[in-house]
Amino acid sequence: MSLLRAEGLCVTAHIGGVKVAALDGLSLALAPGKVLGLVGESGAGKSMLGRAMAQLLPPGFAVSAGTLEFAGQDLVAMAPDKRRALLGRQIGFIPQEPLSALNPVRSIGSQFAEHLRRLGVADWRAAALAALDTVQLPDLLDRFAHQLSGGMCQRVLIAMAFASKPALVVADEPTTALDVTIQARIVALMRDLQIAQNTAVLFITHDLRLAAQVCDEIAVLYAGRVVEHGPADVVLAQPLHPYTKCLLLAAPAMSGPRQALYALPDQMPGLRALAEMTGCRFAPRCPLARDACRKEVPALAGGAHKAACPHIAEIGKIAVSELAPAAVATTGETLVSVRGLGKTFRGRFGRKPTVAVHDVSFSIAAGEFVGVVGESGSGKSTLARLLMGLEHKTTGDIHLAGQDVGRWEAAARRLRLRTAQMVFQDPQSALNPRRRVGAIVTQALEAVGIGLAERRVRAAEILADLGMPQELADRAPSQLSGGQRQRVNIGRALCLVPKLLVADEIVSGLDVSVQAQLLGLLARLRTEHGFALLLISHDLAVVRYLCERVMVMRNGRVVEAGRTDAVFANPQHEYTRELLASVPGPAILR
Amino acid sequence: MPRWLRDTRVIIGLSVLVVVLALALLAPLLVQATPDEQDLLATLLPSAWAKGGEAAHPLGTDSLGRDVLARLLYGTRLALTVAAIAAPGAMILGTIAALLGGYFGGWVDWVIGRAVDVWMSFPPVILSLILMVGLGTGSRNVILAIVLVDWTRFCRVLRAEVLVVVQRDYVTAARLVGFSHARVILREILPAIVPLLVTLLTLEMGIAVVVEAILAFVGLGVKPDEIAWGQMIADGRATIYQAPINLLAPVAAIFVTVAGFNLLGDGLRRSLDLRLVEGRG
């Protein structure tokens, strides 16, 4: 007897007069006390199931076919007040953004009280304290959300979700907004509570490895269809569907030989594109696809481990080669030399000053890729901004190409223009929505007054470098996909062929397959242009893939630095060890 | 067709304004009478359709026997001229201050911000009256007074918008690829605030029409030989019981013109503001 059962569930969206199945024939079953992972990249429709349960589908979306049952009751046809009675009692939700899920103007206690009174608890205070205790939080009932960290807020929400001892908890990307070390703790906590209360959990995530760590079973979703479904460890160890396999090969690993990343072309089709698609929705990107795939929809077949692909016998053909060491002639010339760098932000309105960066010293040789890892608030972004002259240093020296910068503002600016460029994290914010792609990538030429004709030529070169079609030069950033936008973002920095690129979290927030494309692009551009890179990232695997050296930062200090393989294989500092242990995935895959 | 031209408010507002503009330009063709020609034998004539009215004076005459319709149409010229010059003037002054303050921040922003605070602490009508007393009457001085009083409206609203745009990474990125401050402001920030600018400008034109009328009404606006709606209201007020149309006609003219500007502004705001557009899907 399964607790949650979906049979042929279809969620249809109306887009410009066309009906598109955002969820197409979803069939799942979740047994009591089990954890089911719903894994997919953005646009796969993985949040639709949770939304369909609560009848919170976006405008224009509706359940059009199939059934969705909770403990034998039809959730779709159920009367609204009956459904409301279930939600929050029998079915708990853990949201993605803990900070925005809590009301900022009400104390944690009053929000707890509201929830517990609804459950009919007489002594809410004692019950709330007990619930907080299960998530290892002290009495913070009188505090407000903004006084807590993101991880604490998420723990409060987990405590609330589990407070009613629900039969089912839906967790929609519960750790995406959190740091890796906190993610590890939250996930462990959820797992403990789930086992203790024998709760079933629907765990929605984009991270296949995290899902494998948390879940008993995994369903991989692609463009609204389940393409693979099976026991978590089996799916991860022996994926049957080409998409799952490609996804696994696209994510850089934390152990074993450094392998090239499998770069899936393009991206998941949007709802509009799906309207015109027949056959297997993965076929346009699939390395095993043949004509028949584009005509017939493959059925999900198999026993305990099912896959929706007729060519599972050929799955072994999808493989990646071992990564050759970067063929870059490093002259050994020092490009960046930083000594005793410090930055203290003045405390305003009587607050204490904040030390963002403290006594940091390092150097980067020409052509060298250096990674900086650490949690949010560790000072890694401030370090990048100091290098680029976007913040004024408090102490220390920065030498760029042998010259001291930061003393004479105008001279330093000229020097930086020729040697260093920065790639920003969020292409949405980093690309002017009112400009064309061609104009954005040649901004540096515009700055020195170079004519339109010459800029067009250079724009074409840069787009070719980025592996983007020429006609995109006349598009606006809003017409590009997320991956293309981030390429344009990189292209702008490359326009004057700088010796150093400073990249701040440039792949965070991107899907794994898009991330693989970008990392491959950076590796290729490196061999072509031979620039050095300071890569700031919270993702250790990305740093391991790209960088020869790594610096681990915590609270504004560099706690450990050295060759990447050495640091990751044999971490000396306690914090580095903690970071490494937090990387998601079953131990075998780390 | 651009999105803003499909908005009903924009269409109505623009149509009203086009008609008003046409009436102003074609005034000599539409009425035979000249607006300042007095006929003391035919004062306070009622409108043509009322008893005792004359076809030569469709809306009758005022207390000096001047044709009301002619004065109304010629008065449109002044109202539109003031709107067309004073509003852009205030916009330019306010936009420059907002861009400088919002972009550079620090003491520049402080000085501009405090100047705006002090300016806005005066009631705008009182401030413009004081200015007119100092400057003397005349349409040029009316325009100057409106510019000097109303630049703060632009400055305060636009500065907030500039502060949002400056936070975006593309502004920093433009600096890093070597854009000068002036180029960053002109190429990256100004285009982003243009939608708001256009909206504010339209609304300000409506305000300029009202302020011009107020100044003319209290006799501190244009010179007595220039024709202004405000003057007509002041004249008509004395004879409101004998000839109500002398008062109602200019009031209606101001109402229609300002409504046209406001509808246009409101429609532009709804169709140009990305946040509102996206909110409606």
Side-chain angles (χ1 to χ4, degrees):
Chain A
M1 169 71 194
S2 48
L3 183 69
L4 181 73
R5 235 167 76 91
E7 268 306 324
L9 186 71
C10 290
V11 171
T12 313
H14 291 256
I15 293 180
V18 192
K19 281 189 189 177
V20 192
L23 266 189
D24 192 15
L26 181 86
S27 296
L28 288 173
L30 176 55
K34 292 287 179 195
V35 183
L36 172 66
L38 208 53
V39 184
E41 295 180 285
S42 50
K46 55 188 186 297
S47 294
M48 289 297 162
L49 182 59
R51 283 167 164 266
M53 283 164 61
Q55 287 285 299
L56 285 173
L57 290 169
F61 286 69
V63 175
S64 57
T67 55
L68 182 59
E69 283 173 9
F70 173 76
Q73 309 166 63
D74 190 345
L75 276 173
V76 180
M78 189 179 283
D81 52 338
K82 213 172 158 202
R83 186 185 309 112
R84 265 202 304 278
L86 274 183
L87 301 179
R89 290 200 181 97
Q90 290 291 304
I91 306 176
F93 285 88
I94 302 174
Q96 179 171 1
E97 292 281 343
L99 274 171
S100 54
L102 287 169
N103 190 334
V105 296
R106 291 175 57 192
S107 68
I108 302 293
S110 91
Q111 294 179 62
F112 241 114
E114 183 182 41
H115 180 56
L116 291 173
R117 276 202 208 103
R118 199 179 147 236
L119 297 175
V121 177
D123 185 8
W124 70 266
R125 187 165 271 275
L129 286 177
L132 286 178
D133 190 51
T134 60
V135 291
Q136 296 155 20
L137 282 176
D139 179 0
L140 32 76
L141 294 178
D142 296 327
R143 304 241 230 137
F144 291 85
H146 65 92
Q147 294 171 311
L148 310 177
S149 68
M152 286 164 100
C153 285
Q154 194 60 291
R155 279 195 272 169
V156 168
L157 287 162
I158 290 175
M160 279 195 197
F162 279 95
S164 58
K165 303 233 172 347
L168 171 69
V169 165
V170 179
D172 191 350
E173 302 260 15
T175 56
T176 311
L178 305 174
D179 275 319
V180 203
T181 48
I182 297 164
Q183 164 172 296
R185 259 176 261 157
I186 296 276
V187 164
L189 206 68
M190 254 179 61
R191 193 72 165 133
D192 289 347
L193 274 173
Q194 178 262 329
I195 291 171
Q197 301 193 0
N198 198 31
T199 315
V201 174
L202 182 67
F203 191 82
I204 300 166
T205 179
H206 66 280
D207 190 337
L208 200 48
R209 285 158 208 267
L210 180 65
Q213 182 186 345
V214 182
C215 306
D216 302 308
E217 274 183 53
I218 287 181
V220 180
L221 222 57
Y222 184 86
R225 287 185 190 147
V226 174
V227 294
E228 183 160 358
H229 185 169
D233 42 349
V234 182
V235 171
L236 212 62
Q238 291 157 334
L240 289 180
H241 196 276
Y243 175 63
T244 319
K245 177 99 180 182
C246 291
L247 214 52
L248 278 171
L249 292 178
M254 275 308 286
S255 62
R258 286 206 309 163
Q259 290 183 317
L261 300 182
Y262 193 89
L264 268 175
D266 302 323
Q267 54 166 1
M268 195 176 306
L271 284 174
R272 259 169 224 284
L274 283 179
E276 289 148 25
M277 206 175 260
T278 55
C280 176
R281 287 178 168 178
F282 184 59
R285 301 171 76 191
C286 181
L288 303 178
R290 47 204 77 178
D291 288 342
C293 293
R294 296 186 180 85
K295 289 184 195 114
E296 271 172 57
V297 181
L300 200 61
H305 184 186
K306 298 189 273 273
C309 184
H311 311 300
I312 51 176
E314 295 168 43
I315 194 78
K317 281 189 190 168
I318 306 173
V320 286
S321 56
E322 211 157 290
L323 197 65
V328 182
T330 39
T331 53
E333 169 205 354
T334 306
L335 186 64
V336 183
S337 158
V338 169
R339 251 176 302 131
L341 188 65
K343 172 72 189 174
T344 306
F345 288 104
R346 219 158 28 117
R348 298 185 87 179
F349 308 116
R351 287 200 206 127
K352 272 193 291 181
T354 320
V355 181
V357 173
H358 182 78
D359 192 22
V360 168
S361 304
F362 65 95
S363 64
I364 301 175
E368 193 181 23
F369 277 26
V370 177
V372 180
V373 296
E375 293 175 31
S376 47
S378 61
K380 48 193 202 307
S381 287
T382 312
L383 183 66
R385 294 179 64 84
L386 282 167
L387 269 185
M388 295 309 297
L390 298 173
E391 301 282 357
H392 292 284
K393 64 190 175 167
T394 315
T395 57
D397 295 310
I398 304 172
H399 283 77
L400 256 185
Q403 279 172 279
D404 190 3
V405 295
R407 196 154 302 170
W408 299 106
E409 204 41 52
R413 205 169 122 73
R414 276 198 299 277
L415 179 65
R416 269 201 206 92
L417 272 185
R418 277 181 284 119
T419 45
Q421 274 303 330
M422 182 159 178
V423 186
F424 290 88
Q425 173 174 6
D426 177 14
Q428 190 81 29
S429 157
L431 305 180
N432 188 338
R434 284 164 199 85
R435 288 185 153 224
R436 304 281 145 181
V437 167
I440 291 174
V441 292
T442 56
Q443 258 188 320
L445 300 180
E446 184 187 340
V448 287
I450 285 173
L452 217 58
E454 240 174 290
R455 285 175 59 196
R456 282 205 76 89
V457 174
R458 181 74 185 116
E461 286 172 14
I462 295 172
L463 285 181
D465 250 2
L466 300 172
M468 289 169 73
Q470 297 298 322
E471 63 265 22
L472 292 188
D474 296 317
R475 298 266 180 88
S478 58
Q479 294 167 292
L480 304 182
S481 70
Q484 285 174 326
R485 271 184 227 156
Q486 196 58 285
R487 282 179 203 224
V488 171
N489 203 1
I490 294 172
R492 168 176 53 197
L494 288 176
C495 181
L496 291 182
V497 198
K499 295 192 185 108
L500 172 71
L501 267 190
V502 176
D504 190 355
E505 297 278 11
I506 54 171
V507 290
S508 72
L510 294 177
D511 280 322
V512 180
S513 60
V514 177
Q515 169 180 299
Q517 292 169 10
L518 278 170
L519 295 181
L521 174 74
L522 277 175
R524 179 169 63 74
L525 289 173
R526 175 186 203 181
T527 54
E528 284 167 21
H529 300 297
F531 51 80
L533 175 76
L534 183 73
L535 180 77
I536 289 157
S537 179
H538 67 275
D539 190 337
L540 301 181
V542 167
V543 168
R544 179 175 186 266
Y545 175 74
L546 271 184
C547 303
E548 287 90 66
R549 283 199 297 133
V550 64
M551 295 195 285
V552 182
M553 282 191 79
R554 186 186 201 188
N555 297 336
R557 290 157 208 265
V558 173
V559 296
E560 186 161 1
R563 295 197 55 81
T564 311
D565 41 7
V567 170
F568 284 3
N570 189 12
Q572 296 302 309
H573 196 274
E574 189 190 341
Y575 178 67
T576 317
R577 267 180 242 142
E578 192 190 341
L579 264 186
L580 285 165
S582 313
V583 174
I588 35 154
L589 279 155
R590 278 204 196 127
Chain B
M1 202 157 54
R3 183 196 285 272
W4 59 271
L5 256 181
R6 277 176 286 168
D7 189 284
T8 326
R9 289 157 211 264
V10 172
I11 295 170
I12 298 175
L14 264 185
S15 321
V16 168
L17 292 174
V18 165
V19 169
V20 172
L21 183 67
L23 289 176
L25 292 176
L26 303 176
L29 301 175
L30 295 173
V31 286
Q32 286 109 15
T34 47
D36 42 9
E37 192 185 80
Q38 300 183 3
D39 182 357
L40 294 172
L41 294 174
T43 60
L44 294 178
L45 281 179
S47 48
W49 57 87
K51 203 175 131 195
E54 286 180 17
H57 301 295
L59 289 182
T61 57
D62 67 2
S63 56
L64 292 174
R66 295 175 294 193
D67 185 66
V68 171
L69 182 62
R71 290 182 70 74
L72 199 64
L73 294 185
Y74 282 91
T76 314
R77 293 181 164 190
L78 179 74
L80 291 186
T81 311
V82 169
I85 301 176
M91 177 192 81
I92 291 168
L93 201 62
T95 308
I96 291 173
L99 284 170
L100 293 179
Y103 179 72
F104 288 107
W107 65 268
V108 182
D109 194 29
W110 192 90
V111 169
I112 292 172
R114 295 301 81 74
V116 170
D117 287 345
V118 171
W119 228 261
M120 289 194 118
S121 60
F122 288 100
V125 174
I126 306 291
L127 186 58
S128 47
L129 286 176
I130 295 170
L131 278 171
M132 288 309 292
V133 169
L135 295 166
T137 55
S139 55
R140 200 175 293 176
N141 289 343
V142 169
I143 290 169
L144 193 60
I146 294 174
V147 170
L148 289 179
V149 171
D150 276 355
W151 67 275
T152 51
R153 286 178 202 270
F154 285 91
C155 186
R156 187 163 276 186
V157 178
L158 289 174
R159 175 182 167 271
E161 189 77 3
V162 171
L163 284 182
V164 173
V165 179
V166 163
Q167 288 299 317
R168 315 221 74 196
D169 283 337
Y170 65 75
V171 175
T172 316
R175 274 297 282 168
L176 287 179
V177 299
F179 272 30
S180 60
H181 287 305
R183 200 187 282 267
V184 171
I185 290 176
L186 289 178
R187 299 280 284 132
E188 306 285 337
I189 297 175
L190 188 59
I193 62 170
V194 160
L196 185 59
L197 205 64
V198 172
T199 308
L200 285 177
L201 176 68
T202 327
L203 296 175
E204 177 63 26
M205 285 180 160
I207 294 172
V209 170
V210 173
V211 172
E212 184 269 320
I214 291 174
L215 292 176
F217 178 76
V218 298
L220 279 170
V222 292
K223 295 202 167 61
D225 57 339
E226 288 181 86
I227 298 132
W229 289 339
Q231 275 185 341
M232 294 176 69
I233 296 176
D235 290 346
R237 195 174 58 109
T239 57
I240 184 166
Y241 296 112
Q242 294 88 338
I245 203 152
N246 289 6
L247 179 76
L248 295 179
V251 167
I254 292 171
F255 173 80
V256 168
T257 314
V258 173
F261 280 121
N262 284 354
L263 274 174
L264 180 62
D266 196 30
L268 286 175
R269 183 180 67 81
R270 282 160 184 268
S271 49
L272 292 179
D273 190 328
L274 285 176
R275 278 162 297 189
L276 285 175
V277 171
E278 278 161 12
R280 280 177 298 165

